[in-house]
Amino acid sequence: MSERLTFPDNFLWGTATAAHQIEGNNTNSDWWRHEQTSGRVAEPSGDATDSWHLYEVDLDIVQQLGLNSYRFSIEWARIEPAEGQFSTATLMHYRRVLTACHARGLVPVVTLHHFTLPQWVADAGGFESPQIAYWLGRYATTVGAALGDLIGVGCTINEPNIVSVMGYRHGIFPPMVSDSARYVAVHEAMRESHRAMVEGLKSGPGEYPVGLTLSMSEYVALDGAEEKMRKIRLEMEDKYLDAVRGDDFLGVQCYSKSVIAPKGEVFHHDGDVTDMGYPFWPQCVEHTVRRAAATAQVPIIVTENGIAATDDTRRIAYLDEALRGLHRCVRDGIDVRGYYQWSLLDNFEWSLGYAMQFGIVEVDRSTFVRTPKPSALWYGEIAKNNAL
Ligand code: NOJ
C-alpha cells in the first residue's frame, strides 16, 4: 500500500471561480464590451453559468463534495457602475453569497479584481490612469466596510501580471495594446493598486488575511535563452515576489511551464499538451510554491491550479500529480495554507469562450443544470480525508 500523504490541520481545500466567468450578463464591464466589439473573443459570455442567481446551487455542490472553502470574485462593474456611485443592492447580494458560504461551513475567499474593469474606468485610462490606485483603494475600502465582517480571506488583484501581459504586451485582452514601455508601467500600477487595496480592506471590520494572487510558471530556458528568460520572469514574477514581502500571504496560481527561446516564449508545443495547448506539467505546483515561498517569504495559498480537459481522467491524473508535489513542499516545512482547484464549473474562458473545460462540474448551458464529474468526487474525498 502506498503511503498516506496527510496535509496540515485546518488546511483549506477549495475550488475557485470568478464573477465574469460564471455570473452572466456583466454588461457594464470592459470585457463585456470587448466581447461585443473586438472580434477577438470566440463567443460572448452571455448568461455564463447564471451563478448570479444560482450561487446557492453552486455552494450546495461545494459543500456536498466535502470541501471546506470556496473562492469567488465580486464584480467591481456591478458594485460601482458609475464613478463614486456604489450599489447597495449589489453589495447586499454579495453579503448573501458570503452568508450562504458560512451557512455551509465554507471559508469564503473573496477576490476584488479578477480581470474586468467597469467601463467608466476603462474609458478613463484603466490601469494607465494616474487615478487607478485611488479608485481601486476606494473600492476596496467600500467593500471592506460592507463585507469585511464576513470575508474569510481577501485577494486584492487576481493575476495582475496576466492582465498586464495580455492587455499591454500581447494585445489580446482589453485594451489590446502592444507596447513594452506601457507594459512595464502597468505592472508598476498594479503593485501600487495592490497596496492601496490592502489598506482599504484592512480599514474595515473583520480580521482576515489579505494578499494578491500571482500567475506563476515553471520557466525553462532553451540554449542561449537564459538572459531572455530572466528578463521575462523579472517582470512577470520577481518584482511582484519582492513587492508582496510582509503581506499576510501570497496566492500562487500555476498551470504549466513556460519555454523561452532566445527570441521569446514558445507557444506551440509538441508532445503531451492540455486542451489549452500548454505542456501537461503538474510539476509546476511544487516548483512555483517553492520559488514563491523562498523569495517572498510569506505563507502560500495555491489559489488556482487545474487543467482544461474534455477527458476528465486527465484532470484526475493532473491533480493527483500536482497535489503530490504540493505535499512534498508541506513535508519540507513550507507554510502552505490551502489549495484551490480551478474551477468549480466549466465556464467562460475569456478569449476562448466556453470550449475550454476546466470544471470539476459540468454545466448544461441551456438548462444550467450542474453535474459533478468523477474528478469532483475524487477531489472531495481528498478534502474530506485531508490526505492523498
Ligand atoms: C487564470 C485566471 O485567473 C482564470 O480566470 C482562468 O480562467 C484560469 N487561469 C484558466 O486559464
Side-chain angles (χ1 to χ4, degrees):
M1 224 181 81
S2 58
E3 194 197 347
R4 185 182 163 95
L5 306 175
T6 304
F7 283 80
D9 289 347
N10 303 318
F11 195 77
L12 294 168
W13 288 104
T15 181
T17 61
H20 189 78
Q21 296 176 268
I22 65 163
E23 285 181 348
N25 299 298
N26 181 26
T27 57
N28 201 28
S29 76
D30 61 339
W31 258 92
W32 182 272
R33 184 166 59 194
H34 178 70
E35 290 158 25
Q36 308 298 321
T37 59
S38 71
R40 297 296 299 272
V41 183
E43 56 190 317
S45 55
D47 287 327
T49 60
D50 196 22
S51 293
W52 178 261
H53 298 108
L54 299 177
Y55 64 90
E56 288 189 288
V57 178
D58 296 341
L59 294 174
D60 282 344
I61 296 172
V62 178
Q63 180 194 31
Q64 281 156 16
L65 290 176
L67 308 184
N68 60 18
S69 187
Y70 178 60
R71 175 172 178 242
F72 65 100
S73 77
I74 58 175
E75 187 55 56
W76 188 13
R78 294 189 197 263
I79 293 175
E80 191 180 358
E83 184 177 355
Q85 296 178 29
F86 291 90
S87 163
T88 305
T90 301
L91 289 166
M92 282 171 68
H93 169 84
Y94 289 123
R95 274 195 82 78
R96 289 191 290 274
V97 178
L98 286 161
T99 304
C101 288
H102 289 290
R104 290 164 180 78
L106 303 172
V107 174
V109 180
V110 180
T111 305
L112 272 63
H113 181 275
H114 195 124
F115 287 7
T116 51
L117 290 174
Q119 283 177 17
W120 68 264
V121 176
D123 292 343
F127 282 98
E128 295 182 295
S129 164
Q131 299 273 83
I132 189 67
Y134 166 71
W135 288 329
L136 275 164
R138 181 177 62 182
Y139 162 58
T141 304
T142 305
V143 167
L147 310 178
D149 58 323
L150 297 174
I151 294 176
V153 176
C155 305
T156 56
I157 307 181
N158 177 79
E159 298 193 344
N161 51 344
I162 293 296
V163 177
S164 309
V165 78
M166 296 298 278
Y168 295 86
R169 191 153 173 274
H170 298 322
I172 295 171
F173 284 7
M176 298 198 292
V177 169
S178 189
D179 179 311
S180 52
R182 290 170 70 181
Y183 162 71
V184 171
V186 167
H187 278 303
E188 201 49 53
M190 293 287 177
R191 290 186 285 270
E192 194 192 331
S193 299
H194 166 64
R195 292 261 70 84
M197 294 173 82
V198 172
E199 214 180 286
L201 281 176
K202 296 233 177 215
S203 69
E207 283 287 329
Y208 51 91
V210 178
L212 72 70
T213 72
L214 189 66
S215 171
M216 293 186 70
S217 187
E218 182 162 345
Y219 279 90
V220 179
L222 298 180
D223 272 355
E226 283 77 13
E227 195 41 43
K228 183 84 189 170
M229 188 270 269
R230 266 192 290 275
K231 267 196 178 155
I232 294 177
R233 199 171 58 181
L234 176 70
E235 293 301 333
M236 288 297 287
E237 294 188 359
D238 297 351
K239 288 185 183 176
Y240 287 94
L241 294 174
D242 280 345
V244 302
R245 279 176 183 235
D247 277 2
D248 298 332
F249 75 94
L250 172 68
V252 169
Q253 315 202 152
C254 61
Y255 289 85
S256 185
K257 59 180 167 186
S258 300
V259 180
I260 311 297
K263 286 205 162 138
E265 185 160 353
V266 178
F267 291 108
H268 295 286
H269 304 277
D270 301 328
D272 197 2
V273 295
T274 72
D275 290 0
M276 292 288 281
Y278 306 156
F280 181 96
W281 197 252
Q283 295 93 316
C284 65
V285 172
E286 178 173 4
H287 178 91
T288 55
V289 166
R290 285 186 191 278
R291 186 160 195 277
T295 314
Q297 295 175 2
V298 292
I300 302 295
I301 302 176
V302 177
T303 39
E304 281 185 30
N305 171 243
I307 177 177
T310 38
D311 173 1
D312 193 50
T313 61
R314 296 258 291 163
R315 190 174 344 273
I316 295 179
Y318 179 95
L319 296 176
D320 183 73
E321 187 71 37
L323 289 172
R324 283 173 198 281
L326 185 63
H327 190 270
R328 284 191 288 275
C329 297
V330 167
R331 188 200 58 199
D332 290 348
I334 298 176
D335 186 356
V336 186
R337 306 268 168 101
Y339 174 88
Y340 293 77
Q341 177 272 341
W342 181 273
S343 180
L344 175 66
L345 308 168
D346 285 338
N347 63 40
F348 178 70
E349 181 54 28
W350 308 108
S351 306
L352 302 175
Y354 290 95
M356 293 299 131
Q357 298 173 8
F358 278 93
I360 50 175
V361 174
E362 184 189 318
V363 180
D364 180 330
R365 292 195 58 252
S366 57
T367 61
F368 301 113
V369 168
R370 279 93 161 117
T371 312
K373 305 176 188 178
S375 57
L377 308 177
W378 172 88
Y379 181 53
E381 282 308 305
I382 292 169
K384 281 189 253 180
N385 295 327
N386 196 32
L388 271 173

